[in-house]
Amino acid sequence: MKFYKGPKKILFMLCMLISLMMVAPAYATNVSTCAELEAAWGDYRTPPDAEIVLMNDIVCAANKTFSYYGSLDNDPGQSTVITIRSSAGAKYSLNARVYANDSTEQDIAFTMQDVVVQGGVSVGYGESVTLSNVDVVDGKIDAYNCGNISLSDVTVDNAGDTYSISLSYNRGTVDLTNISISNGDGLYVYDGTTVTLNDVSVASTREQGYGLSLRSVDELIVDGLDIDFVAPGYGRGIALATVDGGEIRNVTIDDTKTHYTGTGIPSASGFEFMNVRNVAFSNVEMNNIGTGISAQDVYDCTFDTMVINNALNGIYGQYYQRMDFVDVSIGNCDAAVNLVNVSDLTFSDCEIGVDPSRTVAWPVKQGMVFSRAQNITIADSIIANAKADNPSATIKTSHGISIGKMCHHFTVENNVIGMSGADVPMGNDHYGIEVSWASDCRIAGNVIAYNGLGGIYQSSPYNERNTFTRNIIFSNNGNKAIDDSDLNYRKTPPVFAGATASFVTGYCATGSCLPGDKVELFEGDAAGLDALVFLGEATVDANLEWTVPGLDLRPGTVHLTATITDEWTAAALGMTSELSAFTATIQVPAPPLEFTTYTQIQNNYSMAAVQLRYDITGTGTLDGFTSEICFQIDASKTPVAEVWYPDNISAVAVNMGGGVWCVEIDMSNISISAGQTYPVNSWEQVQLGIHYQDWSSISASLVDPHALIFSGSFMENDNVTVYDLYDHLLGGTEF
């Protein structure tokens, strides 16, 4: 080992001293009494011992505070380490308030572990704050102007009329895990680069209290937050102001006690936002609250899987932009959605007025209400059960969707409005959709039913370029599917000219349409109130005529309805008319095919065996047919028909009266073409068995009315009839 002398020795010793100062391990002081703790803590102007270990519960005089201000801590570049913990395996109580502040050097590294503090903890201008397995009673946790803050396994009880945890003006990250707050207000964070909360519960007893309040946070991560308001007053579940970025998931907010004075109506808001951006919310449930979401100036946020139940309002506010609401369920409230001055919002797979299962009614007074809104999409959702206090009142507001004053560019598509997800009627008291002073809206592919005043209602002369297409609208209390209130620039519905099974033709009056306008055809009702099944569409030609081709209308009486929509040009307004009505008798022509039938019938005491073969002539192909063979039998008996071959057809015996029974053979799934036989192979036949229910002798009493019962080879039998599926006779003679 080398030894230094003179100046070198002095320099060496100085270096060693500095080194020891920088790397020396923290020492611990064991304390068992408040006096020993006071001695270890020292004067408030000098730093306490680095580590104070509680050997048992420390009982101090009432209102005792251990304070450190750091005014004489002149050790630049080296942190002041303050650690208070219980001895290994224990959790002792300290009935005093702990306060540490170093505004000069801002270098306190404060740690508390395995301690019950009866009085509160406050750290100011610290470099770091760490609390682990700490219970704070009759006080709060307060950290301000600090660096990184970490709280884990911490409870705060009875903080009084103030925030239970207050973290403000912080320079670093905030990390809170497994936090429980009761008998006080919630959690407040003001400033922080990244704030992370995991498994936090708050039972707020403060009037006008908060569950979680955050301001000026760069990024927020919340996973697991339970808030319950248990005292009267107007509270706020989660209040965010000036937050840019983050996720909030797995949140429940419940207001069991706070109500508007004398009303019994919950008053605490679930979310209250101001200037919030780029936050993703998921798996949120709010019950018994005032307003689910109340916000202003919120941008680029998403809400996925959220329930708002038993609230004054669901989603409320203004200046929302670029927001997505997915699988949001709102019910048992006044207005489910009421938004003003919003843009670029999407609501998809939502439930308004029904529970998340889409089967149980959750009534609301108003469904979705918009004013001064643009670029809004509502899709694949249930909107039902908007129930007015007085359905006959002059002012009608209990609509499924209200697209109101100065709205434009709405897309409402593929929704069910007025029914549950199980197609149970749950109509809105007034209109399914009201469009008032709106433009450039597309309402497409919705099912709108069981609403009190009608399907779609246009109530303003200022409506322009609103298109309604392929909506199924029915059973709206005897009211129109589409009602333009004579304000729709009098877009005249199309006129029908005629109908066949395969096409429908019509025209429009001169001046009421333009070439290029679109006609949509529906199966409807006799009064022209309903659009039940979309059948097809056509374009108006230069002669102002139209034809919907490619149809397959059923024979008999068919009720048709149609709308017409402007081509969007400078001369037209892109509007859709009301429905027109037309009743047609559709005749379906018989296919150009003819059947010749051969039979062989053998009687064997209690069973008659019938074999059939069909020859087909003519042209074309037939998809499905039926056949019938009739017998005169003992009127006191009941026959049974069975198919032995092939196994893809069926037969049933039908009583025609007077002892005549016909065996009806269903071959609706058999496709056959001209020039073929059925069955196709010459050695195969349709094989039937006929016997009485009591299995008595049938051979003596079964008589072919055409006297063609025989044994031997097949012979032509005109007694066997063949029909297509539209009951056209294709072979045989009807009995």
Side-chain angles (χ1 to χ4, degrees):
M1 182 175 181
K2 186 174 182 180
F3 294 94
Y4 295 98
K5 297 181 180 180
K8 289 185 178 181
K9 181 177 180 180
I10 296 173
L11 180 61
F12 172 77
M13 294 299 292
L14 181 61
C15 290
M16 289 295 292
L17 178 60
I18 294 174
S19 176
L20 287 171
M21 291 176 61
M22 296 181 65
V23 301
Y27 57 90
T29 301
N30 297 338
V31 298
S32 299
T33 66
C34 191
E36 291 177 354
L37 178 56
E38 287 181 318
W41 187 268
D43 188 271
Y44 69 90
R45 296 171 298 176
T46 59
D49 290 344
E51 185 173 29
I52 299 173
V53 181
L54 308 184
M55 303 305 294
N56 47 244
D57 293 338
I58 304 298
V59 179
C60 298
N63 301 318
K64 175 66 177 178
T65 298
F66 290 92
S67 300
Y68 167 65
Y69 292 98
S71 58
L72 299 182
D73 177 23
N74 298 313
D75 54 353
Q78 182 175 348
S79 297
T80 299
V81 178
I82 303 176
T83 299
I84 302 175
R85 66 176 179 83
S86 295
S87 61
K91 189 173 184 179
Y92 292 122
S93 173
L94 169 63
N95 67 328
R97 180 172 180 264
V98 178
Y99 176 81
N101 181 310
D102 189 349
S103 59
T104 302
E105 298 180 5
Q106 304 182 16
D107 63 356
I108 299 174
F110 184 88
T111 299
M112 183 173 284
Q113 180 179 349
D114 303 327
V115 176
V116 178
V117 182
Q118 296 179 334
V121 178
S122 179
V123 181
Y125 299 95
E127 179 181 274
S128 65
V129 179
T130 302
L131 272 65
S132 175
N133 193 25
V134 172
D135 299 337
V136 177
V137 182
D138 299 331
K140 68 175 184 177
I141 298 173
D142 183 19
Y144 54 94
N145 297 96
C146 292
N148 298 329
I149 299 174
S150 175
L151 310 181
S152 62
D153 301 312
V154 170
T155 68
V156 182
D157 182 47
N158 199 27
D161 193 21
T162 184
Y163 289 110
S164 297
I165 300 177
S166 177
L167 313 174
S168 55
Y169 304 104
N170 299 296
R171 307 184 303 275
T173 63
V174 175
D175 191 346
L176 281 69
T177 301
N178 195 20
I179 308 297
S180 178
I181 296 172
S182 57
N183 296 312
D185 204 358
L187 169 67
Y188 176 68
V189 180
Y190 184 6
D191 282 348
T193 55
T194 300
V195 176
T196 302
L197 283 72
N198 293 283
D199 299 322
V200 176
S201 66
V202 177
S204 176
T205 57
R206 179 189 176 191
E207 185 176 352
Q208 300 185 6
Y210 290 81
L212 170 64
S213 178
L214 296 102
R215 296 181 58 189
S216 301
V217 174
D218 294 338
E219 184 177 13
L220 172 64
I221 305 295
V222 176
D223 189 354
L225 175 60
D226 182 28
I227 299 171
D228 189 9
F229 292 93
V230 294
Y234 179 83
R236 297 165 180 85
I238 298 178
L240 304 181
T242 315
V243 175
D244 188 355
E247 297 180 52
I248 297 180
R249 53 186 179 264
N250 301 320
V251 174
T252 62
I253 302 174
D254 199 347
D255 179 3
T256 56
K257 291 291 181 62
T258 72
H259 298 89
Y260 289 111
T261 303
T263 66
I265 300 173
S267 62
S269 60
F271 291 161
E272 188 172 280
F273 301 151
M274 174 74 74
N275 191 24
V276 175
R277 302 169 184 264
N278 302 305
V279 179
F281 300 82
S282 62
N283 196 21
V284 176
E285 183 171 349
M286 293 179 270
N287 296 291
N288 308 307
I289 58 173
T291 298
I293 300 175
S294 177
Q296 181 171 326
D297 297 314
V298 183
Y299 311 95
D300 301 298
C301 294
T302 62
F303 292 84
D304 190 345
T305 313
M306 180 171 69
V307 175
I308 303 173
N309 181 30
N310 193 22
L312 183 64
N313 292 294
I315 301 173
Y316 181 85
Q318 60 184 339
Y319 305 116
Y320 291 39
Q321 292 186 27
R322 300 179 300 277
M323 306 271 285
D324 290 333
F325 298 88
V326 181
D327 192 17
V328 174
S329 305
I330 306 175
N332 296 308
C333 63
D334 283 2
V337 176
N338 192 340
L339 296 173
V340 181
N341 293 320
V342 297
S343 65
D344 301 287
L345 310 185
T346 297
F347 296 83
S348 60
D349 294 301
C350 294
E351 296 82 32
I352 305 298
V354 294
D355 78 327
S357 74
R358 299 192 164 193
T359 59
V360 178
W362 279 7
V364 298
K365 292 182 180 179
Q366 295 176 287
M368 307 180 76
V369 182
F370 299 90
S371 180
R372 295 184 177 90
Q374 61 181 334
N375 299 325
I376 309 298
T377 296
I378 304 170
D380 303 308
S381 298
I382 301 283
I383 302 106
N385 288 306
K387 302 298 182 183
D389 289 335
N390 180 9
S392 61
T394 302
I395 299 176
K396 312 295 186 184
T397 60
S398 293
H399 315 300
I401 301 172
S402 179
I403 305 172
K405 185 176 182 181
M406 300 177 69
C407 290
H408 58 89
H409 292 95
F410 271 62
T411 299
V412 180
E413 59 185 6
N414 301 327
N415 303 286
V416 175
I417 303 173
M419 293 193 301
S420 73
D423 297 335
V424 174
M426 292 185 180
N428 303 289
D429 273 356
H430 298 144
Y431 293 98
I433 301 175
E434 180 199 39
V435 183
S436 177
W437 201 343
S439 62
D440 301 291
C441 298
R442 175 180 171 83
I443 299 174
N446 303 283
V447 177
I448 307 172
Y450 305 110
N451 301 287
L453 297 181
I456 302 173
Y457 178 58
Q458 297 206 96
S459 60
S460 170
Y462 301 104
N463 289 347
E464 296 182 349
R465 299 180 301 279
N466 297 318
T467 297
F468 314 141
T469 176
R470 300 197 181 193
N471 298 288
I472 303 303
I473 310 174
F474 60 91
S475 298
N476 289 290
N477 201 27
N479 295 298
K480 294 179 179 179
I482 300 173
D483 186 350
D484 66 12
S485 187
D486 294 326
L487 299 171
N488 196 10
Y489 295 93
R490 301 191 182 278
K491 184 64 177 174
T492 304
V495 180
F496 287 89
T500 70
S502 58
F503 62 88
V504 175
T505 61
Y507 59 93
C508 49
T510 302
S512 67
C513 72
L514 292 172
D517 283 1
K518 184 176 71 173
V519 173
E520 289 190 350
L521 179 68
F522 300 86
E523 184 175 342
D525 65 326
L529 299 176
D530 295 342
L532 300 174
V533 180
F534 175 75
L535 299 175
E537 61 185 31
T539 301
V540 176
D541 63 20
N543 297 319
L544 303 185
E545 297 175 344
W546 52 269
T547 298
V548 179
L551 303 176
D552 185 17
L553 299 180
R554 57 184 172 82
T557 301
V558 177
H559 301 299
L560 301 174
T561 60
T563 62
I564 188 168
T565 300
D566 287 330
E567 180 188 18
W568 288 19
T569 66
L573 294 167
M575 304 293 282
T576 297
S577 72
E578 296 182 351
L579 292 172
S580 58
F582 182 66
T583 298
T585 300
I586 305 299
Q587 300 291 344
V588 177
L593 295 172
E594 184 175 345
F595 282 69
T596 302
T597 307
Y598 299 85
T599 64
Q600 178 178 328
I601 304 174
Q602 296 178 340
N603 293 337
N604 181 17
Y605 185 64
S606 61
M607 176 71 72
V610 181
Q611 301 182 40
L612 303 98
R613 189 174 71 244
Y614 303 86
D615 286 354
I616 299 95
T617 57
T619 59
T621 298
L622 182 65
D623 290 326
F625 60 98
T626 63
S627 185
E628 186 176 82
I629 183 170
C630 300
F631 300 95
Q632 184 81 38
I633 64 171
D634 185 344
S636 66
K637 301 288 186 178
T638 300
V640 176
E642 300 176 353
V643 176
W644 295 341
Y645 183 85
D647 60 7
N648 61 343
I649 67 173
S650 61
V652 62
V654 179
N655 189 354
M656 309 302 292
V660 175
W661 286 74
C662 293
V663 177
E664 296 181 353
I665 310 168
D666 182 358
M667 306 186 201
S668 57
N669 61 344
I670 304 300
S671 181
I672 201 75
S673 299
Q676 292 183 335
T677 63
Y678 183 78
V680 176
N681 297 316
S682 60
W683 63 86
E684 294 180 320
Q685 304 88 33
V686 174
Q687 299 178 18
L688 307 176
I690 304 171
H691 63 85
Y692 289 136
Q693 280 186 337
D694 60 5
W695 289 93
S696 60
S697 175
I698 197 171
S699 60
S701 59
L702 187 145
V703 178
D704 181 346
H706 291 236
L708 289 175
I709 294 179
F710 60 92
S711 298
S713 62
F714 279 87
M715 292 185 63
E716 183 177 340
N717 189 348
D718 193 46
N719 181 38
V720 181
T721 51
V722 179
Y723 303 87
D724 69 6
L725 299 182
Y726 296 103
D727 294 328
H728 294 111
L729 182 64
L730 304 180
T733 300
E734 292 181 321
F735 180 73

